[in-house]
Amino acid sequence: MELNARIPAGPIQQKWDNHRFNLKLVNPANKRRHDIIVVGSGLAGASAAATMGELGYKVHCFCFQDSPRRAHSIAAQGGINAAKDYTNEGDSIWRLFYDTVKGGDYRAREANVYRLAQISVNIIDQCVAQGVPFARDYAGYLDNRSFGGAQVSRTFYARGQTGQQLLLGAYQALQRQVKLGNVKMYTRHEMLDLVVVDGAARGIVTRDLVTGAITSHVADAVVLATGGYSNVFYLSTNARGCNATAIWRAYKKGAGFANPCFTQIHPTAIPPHGEGQSKLTLMSESLRNDGRVWVPKTPGDKRPPNEIPESERDYYLERLYPSFGNLVPRDVASRRAKEMVDQGKGVGPSGIGVYLDFRDAIQRLGRTVIEERYGNLFDMYMNITGENPYEVPMRIYPAPHYTMGGLWVDYNLMSTIPGLHVIGEANFSDHGANRLGASALMQGLADGYFIIPLTIGDYLATARPAKLDASHPAFREAEAAVREQTRRLLSINGSRTVTEFHRELGSIMWNYCGMARTAQGLEKALDLVRDLRQQFWEDVKVPGDSGNINMELEHASRVADFLELGELMCRDALHRNESAGGHFREEYQTPEGEAKRNDEEFAYVAVWEYAGPDAPPVLHKEPLEFEYVHLAQRSYK
């Protein structure tokens, strides 16, 4: 496996502009001769499909939902970063670049991060032109708020539903291209395999989730925009349908998987409340602008929060990090919340949680202002918990959220398989070991609107893929493999449900490869996951058949992939003998309990190559060089 990042030469401020000039172009008249498959219709997928359709390519866009509007991007609440400095606080492209590299604990490529910060200013203009209703101040200017890991207000937002509003903007652009015939939309279709011909990605195999039909789709290039894999933990903030199947099947066809253990635990989710729970609910990080995080100073104090006087409250983030306070990065806030719970200071009936209190903000600003900023989030919390956060503090606790790992891509967002491009959360490229809040939407739209439409043309103009159709043996073989796995899942007829296996896997991953990890625990997890995978293929029960709607069959296929991915995540976490961002090995921490990196040995991207069902994966390393942001121990004090 060759890891050529293709990072352009020259000063970092000029790399993207120079690179765009040097990209080979496809004649506008020739674009209509090229078919491009886009898998996923969230922010990254919808924006990419719409933009490439507008450029003239023949785009085929697939999603497993009944509408692109149901993509998980709608769940992003708090905002989108951009270095416009409307607030005159000293922000700049350089500061956003610096904050992102530092926030990711120096485990991201500088060139990619700088490009992301550079493009961020264009994203806002694009979305405003589409009619996205960003919040505005009294004078009518676009408003901003703060997010974790930054000391400036650079986050543009639409109350607590920014992701939904941005997705509607991308969706309308996509539907315009569908109407014009430039994009063909395939809803309720799930990608189950990647087809590689002569070493290049040339199509996919899908299952129609309504009829069960297995079909092949041919293209000159394939773009995966299928999101992250936090549902490997079973309970996460992700929608129940989010899965890793597309990128995992691509990994098994030769695409390198980078940094799989870099998973983010979000500090502000509603705490879990029982065995029967199917997912966790995110409370936007934007709430940390006005909410203060605290626990009782005395372990085991079960008094109602409003009966605990100020002198007996520990605002621990403000105490430990006076410069950033409640706006420390997510990995830091999450670990500190766990630490408070482990000390017996957890709140609520289960003792698993901390308070997020808006009392002072309501007194200072008035309830009306808080309602304007966060009203829908407060309503959601009230509906789920039955508690009124205007009168009592919210109870929050960390939960699996975003995955920084994903398929390895070069500067052009192409994987180790020529022709297979990966964008948004599905790739590993821009965040390092921890993602700053409000940067997911930024990356998805940067990749989809501004990067992939240009770089994919360079591939097509250079590779000049030959025409072929679905009768090619590679497509027949891929279809046969998909049908065989489907048949096998349905034929086991065991005694345990898919959900039972998924829940047990999630418990293993959370306990041993979650917020805190140890070598001993990861070794144990590897054995447990292998045993569980064997039990799955011997004892899972998948009712029904494959000729119609069968959600248990869908779930079983996805859990089969999670069982393999979980092992790779543990293997990656075990080999990385350091702590970095969301990867916290308890053996490697500073005296203050912060993540302690080992830059001499682990300043690289860990890229895993599939070596077969019975062989361990092969580790490749892409060294990371820091020329513009010098390596240092992170400090937010």
Side-chain angles (χ1 to χ4, degrees):
M1 178 179 289
E2 179 188 3
L3 297 180
N4 181 0
R6 296 182 176 85
I7 298 172
I12 198 167
Q13 299 94 328
Q14 300 171 16
K15 286 182 186 294
W16 176 233
D17 290 337
N18 292 340
H19 187 65
R20 285 193 298 167
F21 176 75
N22 291 315
L23 290 172
K24 294 187 181 300
L25 303 176
V26 177
N27 183 311
N30 290 337
K31 286 188 173 77
R32 66 179 70 99
R33 301 177 184 176
H34 289 291
D35 290 271
I36 299 175
I37 286 173
V38 177
V39 185
S41 62
L43 277 182
S47 59
T51 307
M52 290 190 291
E54 188 168 7
L55 288 173
Y57 293 109
K58 293 166 61 179
V59 181
H60 306 262
C61 186
F62 296 79
C63 70
F64 63 72
Q65 299 93 344
D66 59 355
S67 167
R69 289 176 298 174
R70 295 190 185 275
H72 185 58
S73 299
I74 66 166
Q77 299 163 341
I80 176 171
N81 288 331
K84 281 186 169 290
D85 196 29
Y86 284 168
T87 54
N88 197 31
E89 294 178 316
D91 199 13
S92 63
I93 291 171
W94 192 270
R95 189 178 295 276
L96 176 53
F97 159 63
Y98 174 85
D99 286 347
T100 304
V101 173
K102 176 184 175 183
D105 218 350
Y106 305 90
R107 291 294 175 261
R109 273 193 212 131
E110 283 190 331
N112 285 67
V113 176
Y114 190 88
R115 176 175 64 182
L116 178 64
Q118 187 178 357
I119 291 173
S120 71
V121 298
N122 300 328
I123 295 172
I124 303 304
D125 297 338
Q126 167 89 2
C127 295
V128 169
Q130 290 177 331
V132 173
F134 286 121
R136 295 178 180 267
D137 63 21
Y138 183 75
Y141 294 106
L142 295 180
D143 202 4
N144 291 106
R145 58 189 177 198
S146 301
F147 252 68
Q151 291 179 302
V152 296
S153 298
R154 64 162 66 102
T155 304
F156 295 78
Y157 65 98
R159 297 192 74 186
Q161 49 185 254
T162 313
Q164 180 174 0
Q165 297 303 328
L166 290 171
L167 183 62
L168 288 173
Y171 171 74
Q172 68 183 10
L174 174 63
Q175 288 303 107
R176 178 172 180 268
Q177 296 305 316
V178 171
K179 177 70 173 178
L180 292 172
N182 299 325
V183 176
K184 184 174 181 180
M185 194 72 220
Y186 300 77
T187 59
R188 301 306 303 270
H189 280 69
E190 181 163 26
M191 172 184 162
L192 294 180
D193 209 353
L194 176 74
V195 181
V196 178
V197 178
D198 297 329
R202 293 306 307 270
I204 63 173
V205 175
T206 66
R207 178 175 182 268
D208 186 318
L209 300 182
V210 177
T211 68
I214 305 295
T215 54
S216 292
H217 305 269
V218 184
D220 297 321
V222 176
V223 179
L224 299 185
T226 51
Y229 49 88
S230 273
N231 274 347
V232 70
F233 292 98
Y234 183 69
L235 286 181
S236 82
T237 65
N238 284 191
R240 290 290 293 149
C242 293
N243 63 85
T245 290
I247 59 173
W248 190 251
R249 305 292 169 90
Y251 162 73
K252 295 176 79 171
K253 284 296 181 71
F257 205 120
N259 298 336
C261 80
F262 285 170
T263 54
Q264 181 170 82
I265 311 300
H266 197 293
T268 55
I270 297 178
H273 61 257
E275 269 297 309
Q277 192 168 355
S278 62
K279 76 177 298 293
L280 297 171
T281 302
L282 178 69
M283 288 285 101
S284 169
E285 182 178 345
S286 63
L287 295 170
R288 290 199 279 152
N289 273 284
D290 291 306
R292 301 180 69 191
V293 179
W294 66 274
V295 293
K297 287 184 177 180
T298 305
D301 189 339
K302 294 301 181 183
R303 287 177 293 173
N306 291 346
E307 294 181 10
I308 300 177
E310 190 74 10
S311 61
E312 297 178 33
R313 299 181 178 192
D314 181 8
Y315 295 93
Y316 58 90
L317 292 179
E318 298 172 27
R319 171 173 56 83
L320 294 169
Y321 307 100
S323 293
F324 281 74
N326 296 297
L327 291 175
V328 292
R330 292 174 174 179
D331 60 314
V332 176
S334 294
R335 282 197 297 274
R336 291 310 186 195
K338 179 180 185 296
E339 183 179 281
M340 295 298 113
V341 170
D342 290 347
Q343 292 176 6
K345 299 178 182 179
V347 303
S350 66
I352 300 176
V354 299
Y355 288 128
L356 182 62
D357 196 340
F358 291 86
R359 181 196 63 182
D360 293 349
I362 291 172
Q363 290 177 355
R364 184 178 72 254
L365 301 171
R367 174 167 172 162
T368 300
V369 172
I370 299 301
E371 286 179 340
E372 290 173 351
R373 292 178 180 177
Y374 313 111
N376 61 312
L377 298 172
F378 277 47
D379 292 343
M380 183 166 63
Y381 181 88
M382 201 179 316
N383 290 334
I384 292 172
T385 66
E387 300 171 2
N388 186 344
Y390 294 104
E391 298 175 358
V392 296
M394 288 183 179
R395 290 180 292 108
I396 58 169
Y397 194 66
H401 181 54
Y402 189 92
T403 51
M404 286 76 67
L407 294 186
W408 183 90
V409 291
D410 63 16
Y411 192 73
N412 286 345
L413 304 183
M414 189 164 71
S415 73
T416 54
I417 300 176
L420 177 66
H421 299 75
V422 192
I423 62 177
E425 191 179 355
N427 73 32
F428 88 102
S429 64
D430 292 354
H431 305 295
N434 172 63
R435 178 176 67 76
L436 291 184
S439 288
L441 305 183
M442 179 173 61
Q443 186 208 346
L445 293 182
D447 288 357
Y449 281 135
F450 296 102
I451 301 175
I452 196 63
L454 301 180
T455 60
I456 204 167
D458 181 77
Y459 168 75
L460 294 171
T462 304
R464 299 179 182 273
K467 292 298 177 185
L468 52 82
D469 58 39
S471 65
H472 191 282
F475 285 90
R476 302 278 75 82
E477 291 171 11
E479 284 187 21
V482 168
R483 289 192 174 93
E484 171 55 25
Q485 173 155 317
T486 302
R487 183 205 63 78
R488 187 180 173 195
L489 286 169
L490 291 168
S491 67
I492 297 171
N493 198 30
S495 62
R496 299 180 62 188
T497 67
V498 178
T499 298
E500 288 180 65
F501 281 103
H502 195 178
R503 185 182 288 118
E504 186 171 342
L505 172 65
S507 177
I508 295 169
M509 296 302 296
W510 177 249
N511 289 332
Y512 302 110
C513 196
M515 256 195 292
R517 304 149 184 197
T518 65
Q520 182 179 6
L522 290 166
E523 292 277 12
K524 182 177 181 179
L526 284 168
D527 291 337
L528 291 172
V529 172
R530 292 189 194 106
D531 290 345
L532 187 65
R533 184 168 67 249
Q534 181 177 346
Q535 294 172 36
F536 175 87
W537 286 106
E538 293 174 353
D539 198 28
V540 72
K541 183 175 183 62
V542 183
D545 57 52
S546 64
N548 51 33
I549 296 174
N550 189 338
M551 296 180 70
E552 276 297 286
L553 177 59
E554 296 170 37
H555 192 192
S557 177
R558 296 165 185 171
V559 171
D561 294 330
F562 279 142
L563 284 162
E564 296 178 0
L565 171 58
E567 181 176 341
L568 185 65
M569 290 169 62
C570 293
R571 186 183 295 273
D572 186 43
L574 182 61
H575 107 277
R576 190 171 282 276
N577 291 322
E578 66 165 356
S579 291
H583 168 64
F584 190 74
R585 285 279 297 272
E586 292 184 353
E587 307 98 313
Y588 306 102
Q589 55 182 300
T590 67
E592 297 81 20
E594 306 291 355
K596 186 177 182 180
R597 298 190 321 272
N598 181 348
D599 295 326
E600 291 186 5
E601 297 184 50
F602 294 98
Y604 60 73
V605 179
V607 186
W608 297 90
E609 178 184 9
Y610 183 68
D614 301 317
V618 179
L619 174 63
H620 302 268
K621 301 174 182 179
E622 179 201 337
L624 292 170
E625 298 178 0
F626 296 91
E627 182 180 356
Y628 296 91
V629 180
H630 298 296
L631 291 162
Q633 174 66 38
R634 282 194 309 171
S635 175
Y636 293 95
K637 291 187 180 296

